[in-house]
Amino acid sequence: MKYKIEDIAGIIAAKNKKLYPSTIEFLLTDSRNLSVAGSSLFFAIITKYNDGHKYVTDLYDKGVRNFVVQILMPEFEKMNDANFLFVQDSVMALQRLAIHHRKNFEIPVIGITGSNGKTIIKEWLYQLLNEDFNVLRSPRSYNSQIGVPLSVWRLNEQTQLGIFEAGISMPYEMIRLEPIIRPTIGIFSNLGDAHQENFYSLQEKCLEKLKLFTNCDTLIYDGDNHFIEECIELSCLSHKTFAWSKKNSEAPLFISKTEKQEENTIIHFSFLGMEQKVRIPFTDDASIENAIHCLAAALYLKPGSTHLFEKFLKLESVDMRLDVKKGINNSILINDTYNSDINSLEIALDFMTGRALGSNLKPVLILSDILQSGALPKVLYKKVSSLIKIKGIKKIIGIGRDLKENEDKFDIEKSFYLTTEDFLREVNLNSFQNEIILIKGSRRFEFEKITTLLEEKVHETILETDLDAIIYNFNYFRSKLKPETKLIAMVKAFGYGIGAYELAKTLQNQRCDYLAVAVADEGAELRANGIQMPVIIMNPEMHTFNTLFQYNLEPEIYNFRLLDAIIKDSERRGITDFPVHIKLDTGMHRLGFQPHDIEEIARRVKIQKGVQVRSVFSHLAGSDSPDLDYYTQQQVDCFQKTASKLENLLGYPLLKHILNSAGIERFPEYQFDMVRLGIGLYGISSVPGNHLQTVATLKSTILEIQELKAGETVGYSRKGILIRDSRIACIPVGYADGLDRRLSNGKGKVYVNGTLCPIIGNICMDICMIDVTDANAGEGDKVIIFGKEIAVEEIAKTLETIPYEIFTSISPRVKRIYFKS
């Protein structure tokens, strides 16, 4: 649907000058996701982490001419042909527009909230109902104050049913989401402890969530949960409930029995006096609860449609992760088979183009038929073709009958196949060279076979990195800084063992100010992979000056020998004002100029033109230890005095920085102009009670389980002596993978299906053995070596070392996988 800009101005009560005629089709809150400039309206949103007004100029240069702003900046005056809608709060303006848009639709809308299961219920309802209705659902977990209005905006004339989820983390948030979704049917999934820290009590949080259902016609929930039922009564919603129960046979939907079998569960129920049953392909309690919520909604919407019951057995698991992994022939794979519709395709393409930007990788899309879209195939794939061209895709591989019949809609490099099997049979793997490949398909096309074929073959031990956790931790530290303070992210040593390229791409997308690596080759590799932001080289070497100049890498300078050499080399090449960063030794006594060197540094810099000092910095020796706070204060005082002196002698402003991760948390008053974020980015903090998220998980797989008798020994030198009859499992991870051999013989433990299992015997080069006697473990089961279940800090404490060593010890042969929800 399209709106005239003057109508939008009235809807959001904007103050504006004369408006130029414009028609709006797309709403934009992230400048990186721009698709169609001419019909996009950008909302410049201010958060505690960022300010959207900073990106208006860049968007204007790209052709955007319509902006909602809450600050009128001087540079806007030069944009004479642009429309600026001035409001007090850009988020509220976005929500007000979505509220107006929602009022245009008299259709059933399902609103889902709760602590867990929201996205799964939404996706399963789509799987169940998409043949009976033209369904619009919120993409991924777009359930926030910004995500909800962006989801509702996608409602159009063809939509027959909307399904939206709503999540909150603070009081008074749901009251703003309710009129945007305006559900006619509500589902309360369950109640847990997530985001509890912002509420006085569990009851306050429950009552806040229930505000979503103020105006709905019916509310579906678990009637056996007395706490939720009491909150519903307090909310005066009891008159509109559709409770299901396993105990109360008088409930509208009575679940008489759940019969778990080997691979599925039969749910026996009665509805409208009739006994029925459905079978689902899951046996865990959470999936059964989610399926019952879906059953209640399906029965309410289509009470006589018994054909829906057959669909429950076909429900597919919902993988809400978008995986990034290394592919064959220097390619990168982005695996997103979470769902297949044009909305989620657009989001995945945005992620892909962000990863491809600046690199030499060719963007390729492998796409299946988009099922149950509600649109004619020729219309749908014409729209898909337009979208992928806008996103810069150079090649499409289409799989499915509809795509093959509409291949004429695509005028880029292309190949089409009727089935996945046809593709696997006919594909030439050598045709994939230096590409970034988005694999996007409906589950029934079994695209996991394509992923398996195209991924680089390494053994079954993998290091998973949660890119959302990286972003969360980055923003956590950024929230402690003043808006003008710049931030350097340390991605040296292969991103602390996690992988520098993907981290750098993620940080570049988050508009981090600087990256820092140890040596020039690390910086050159980042440049080769499309990283354009400034990069500092912390340990430059004399023989790497050519690399520094070629790739515009900014070196740390820590002594006169290095300073003189780079001045001489830059002047020899005719280079002027090459940026360098002066390091001062204020007490770390590792590298750096001494305070008494300041006058001589200034003298040598001022008599040449080859280099220019960009920043001056130092390194704190004990910022993580309260016992050393006196020493930290001495270092800060020394740095402040010395850095200011250098700045005055040079006669131009310098960026000053001394804080590392611990310093940002413990001494934010000394943030100066810039800070350096290292181990904190990866989820490690020196401050108790922090809310950093776990970034990395090291996983392996059980290869074999042996039944051994008491008295037997396990491993080299017969160090693992069994004191009882035991089940011993082998996993393919050893000290060559980075599993420290000092964790042998019970000192280290791993996590298997909810149970901590000790390592038994000596760790081998490629394999170790674990005791799974007390675990529900089988061959092929996953094993967690570290992650949320076993913190890296715990392993470091056991080994009397630091988390840095654990991360950086992970071998390159361990496959790195990156995922994003």
Side-chain angles (χ1 to χ4, degrees), residues 64-222:
V64 178
R65 291 295 181 267
N66 298 285
F67 303 91
V68 175
V69 298
Q70 58 190 74
I71 300 173
L72 291 174
M73 303 179 76
E75 56 264 34
F76 297 171
E77 293 293 330
K78 301 176 183 178
M79 304 175 191
N80 297 321
D81 58 342
N83 293 317
F84 287 95
L85 308 186
F86 180 68
V87 297
Q88 288 188 333
D89 187 313
S90 296
V91 174
M92 291 186 68
L94 173 66
Q95 294 174 343
R96 186 175 292 184
L97 180 57
I99 290 169
H100 175 89
H101 186 65
R102 168 68 181 90
K103 290 177 180 176
N104 293 321
F105 301 92
E106 295 294 330
I107 58 173
V109 170
I110 300 174
I112 308 168
T113 194
S115 297
N116 297 297
K118 299 185 293 294
T119 302
I120 293 172
I121 292 170
K122 177 194 68 182
E123 290 300 318
W124 282 359
L125 283 173
Y126 175 78
Q127 292 177 29
L128 293 166
L129 299 169
N130 61 13
E131 290 182 0
D132 295 276
F133 299 91
N134 186 336
V135 180
L136 176 79
R137 69 200 190 279
S138 47
R140 294 197 172 270
S141 54
Y142 271 40
N143 58 23
S144 66
Q145 298 290 306
I146 295 173
V148 168
L150 291 177
S151 299
V152 170
W153 176 258
R154 296 173 183 265
L155 288 168
N156 59 47
E157 295 93 335
Q158 285 76 45
T159 309
Q160 298 172 319
L161 171 66
I163 309 176
F164 304 104
E165 56 176 297
I168 60 169
S169 58
M170 301 282 290
Y172 309 113
E173 287 187 330
M174 192 63 84
I175 200 168
R176 296 174 65 174
L177 297 183
E178 188 278 330
I180 303 173
I181 299 176
R182 200 75 171 183
T184 58
I185 303 166
I187 299 178
F188 198 117
S189 62
N190 55 41
L191 191 66
D193 293 332
H195 302 297
Q196 184 59 45
E197 66 272 10
N198 295 321
F199 295 92
Y200 290 117
S201 66
L202 199 61
Q203 184 185 71
E204 183 194 23
K205 183 171 71 173
C206 187
L207 293 173
E208 178 71 20
K209 287 180 178 290
L210 286 168
K211 290 176 183 176
L212 177 63
F213 311 121
T214 302
N215 295 292
C216 69
D217 298 326
T218 192
L219 170 56
I220 295 167
Y221 73 102
D222 177 3

Side-chain angles (χ1 to χ4, degrees), residues 463-473 498 679-684 690-698 784 786-793 807 819:
L463 183 68
E464 287 189 344
T465 298
D466 184 344
L467 297 178
D468 288 321
I470 287 285
I471 293 169
Y472 177 90
N473 295 342
I498 287 173
I679 196 68
L681 183 65
Y682 305 91
I684 307 300
N690 72 84
H691 298 290
L692 295 180
Q693 294 185 0
T694 299
V695 166
T697 302
L698 183 61
I784 306 296
F786 64 70
K788 292 180 181 178
E789 299 82 1
I790 302 178
V792 167
E793 297 96 317
F807 283 137
F819 65 89

Side-chain angles (χ1 to χ4, degrees), residues 644-661:
S644 296
K645 185 176 181 180
L646 178 62
E647 185 175 58
N648 291 333
L649 289 171
L650 290 175
Y652 53 82
L654 303 178
L655 295 170
K656 294 177 280 294
H657 49 108
I658 194 170
L659 295 186
N660 53 8
S661 297

Side-chain angles (χ1 to χ4, degrees), residues 363-419:
V364 175
L365 171 64
I366 301 179
L367 180 69
S368 79
D369 279 352
I370 298 174
L371 305 174
Q372 288 89 40
S373 70
L376 292 173
K378 62 181 181 180
V379 175
L380 173 66
Y381 293 111
K382 184 177 181 181
K383 188 174 182 180
V384 170
S385 176
S386 176
L387 175 64
I388 66 175
K389 284 189 70 175
I390 290 169
K391 299 297 183 182
I393 302 303
K394 303 301 182 185
K395 174 182 174 183
I396 181 172
I397 297 171
I399 298 177
R401 186 172 300 279
D402 287 346
L403 268 168
K404 187 165 179 60
E405 290 178 355
N406 288 276
E407 62 180 294
D408 61 306
K409 305 294 188 300
F410 300 87
D411 58 358
I412 59 175
E413 185 181 348
K414 59 190 177 181
S415 58
F416 291 85
Y417 304 85
L418 277 176
T419 66

Side-chain angles (χ1 to χ4, degrees), residues 399-641:
I399 298 177
R401 186 172 300 279
D402 287 346
L403 268 168
K404 187 165 179 60
E405 290 178 355
N406 288 276
E407 62 180 294
D408 61 306
K409 305 294 188 300
F410 300 87
D411 58 358
I412 59 175
E413 185 181 348
K414 59 190 177 181
S415 58
F416 291 85
Y417 304 85
L418 277 176
T419 66
T420 302
E421 287 69 29
D422 289 346
F423 168 79
L424 295 172
R425 185 169 52 251
E426 300 175 28
V427 67
N428 176 11
L429 293 182
N430 289 327
S431 66
F432 296 95
Q433 298 278 347
N434 302 309
E435 296 176 334
I436 182 166
I437 306 165
L438 172 61
I439 303 173
K440 181 74 175 165
S442 176
R443 288 292 177 83
R444 69 180 61 179
F445 285 87
E446 298 181 309
F447 270 17
E448 63 272 12
K449 295 179 181 177
I450 297 177
T451 303
T452 301
L453 182 70
L454 296 181
E455 68 181 323
E456 187 179 61
K457 301 301 184 291
V458 291
H459 70 80
E460 294 184 82
T461 297
I462 61 174
L463 183 68
E464 287 189 344
T465 298
D466 184 344
L467 297 178
D468 288 321
I470 287 285
I471 293 169
Y472 177 90
N473 295 342
F474 176 79
N475 285 329
Y476 166 81
F477 282 94
R478 188 156 63 178
S479 70
K480 297 183 176 298
L481 305 176
K482 294 178 290 187
E484 63 270 22
T485 302
K486 297 182 182 297
L487 196 151
I488 306 169
M490 310 298 293
V491 294
K492 62 181 181 178
F494 192 52
Y496 287 42
I498 287 173
Y501 166 67
E502 279 300 328
L503 293 180
K505 275 290 186 182
T506 299
L507 293 166
Q508 183 167 272
N509 286 344
Q510 292 301 307
R511 296 185 170 89
C512 181
D513 299 288
Y514 266 90
L515 296 177
V517 295
V519 296
D521 286 347
E522 291 180 316
E525 186 174 352
L526 291 178
R527 289 282 187 254
N529 283 288
I531 300 303
Q532 301 165 335
M533 59 195 295
V535 178
I536 299 175
I537 307 301
M538 305 301 285
N539 302 109
E541 298 159 303
M542 297 288 189
H543 67 276
T544 62
F545 285 169
N546 188 58
T547 303
L548 297 179
F549 295 134
Q550 180 182 351
Y551 293 102
N552 194 26
L553 304 172
E554 304 177 15
E556 164 191 316
I557 304 297
Y558 50 81
N559 63 25
F560 287 114
R561 174 173 171 264
L562 190 57
L563 177 61
D564 290 342
I566 197 165
I567 288 173
K568 181 179 179 180
D569 212 336
S570 61
E571 290 184 330
R572 180 179 65 82
R573 298 166 186 262
I575 294 172
T576 59
D577 295 333
F578 191 78
V580 298
H581 302 261
I582 299 295
K583 184 170 187 178
L584 304 177
D585 180 7
T586 58
M588 180 76 168
H589 301 320
R590 186 171 60 182
L591 290 174
F593 289 99
Q594 298 302 313
H596 58 73
D597 293 327
I598 293 302
E599 288 89 349
E600 184 60 21
I601 295 171
R603 188 190 70 78
R604 297 191 191 191
V605 169
K606 290 177 74 172
I607 62 174
Q608 56 80 53
K609 295 182 179 179
V611 303
Q612 184 179 56
V613 179
R614 178 68 55 85
S615 83
V616 56
F617 71 102
S618 190
H619 202 106
L620 296 174
S623 59
D624 57 343
S625 175
D627 294 339
L628 296 176
D629 284 356
Y630 74 95
Y631 195 73
T632 296
Q633 188 63 57
Q634 289 178 20
Q635 282 195 265
V636 170
D637 292 343
C638 177
F639 172 72
Q640 194 164 18
K641 179 181 177 180

